[in-house]
Amino acid sequence: KAKAVELYEQAHAAGHVDATFNLGVMYKNGEGVEQDKKKAADEELLALHDKSVLSSSRCRRRTRRP
């Protein structure tokens, strides 16, 4: 599990939203890392915010007219 944390941290640093959320879950459950509820909440909220921003920008691109 420590290797998974390492890979999720690398993906998080590269901007992968799902990795950020999964990293939060690992901190919440103490999987491969020391359990840290605050860090877990921070990571999960960041992921949800980023996912929301990505979703809204995708919607705007789909609804734009040339």
Side-chain angles (χ1 to χ4, degrees), residues 4-55:
V5 171
E6 179 184 337
L7 294 173
Y8 281 138
E9 286 177 342
Q10 290 173 6
H12 160 76
H16 294 279
V17 177
D18 291 332
T20 302
F21 184 81
N22 290 338
L23 192 56
V25 170
M26 294 188 84
Y27 275 103
K28 180 172 36 177
N29 296 329
E31 297 177 43
V33 293
E34 186 175 330
Q35 190 175 39
D36 185 336
K37 301 275 184 171
K38 179 169 179 1
K39 186 166 178 93
D42 291 346
E43 296 294 339
E44 289 174 349
L45 286 173
L46 178 63
L48 292 172
H49 173 266
D50 289 351
K51 193 140 197 138
S52 173
V53 169
L54 285 173
S55 294

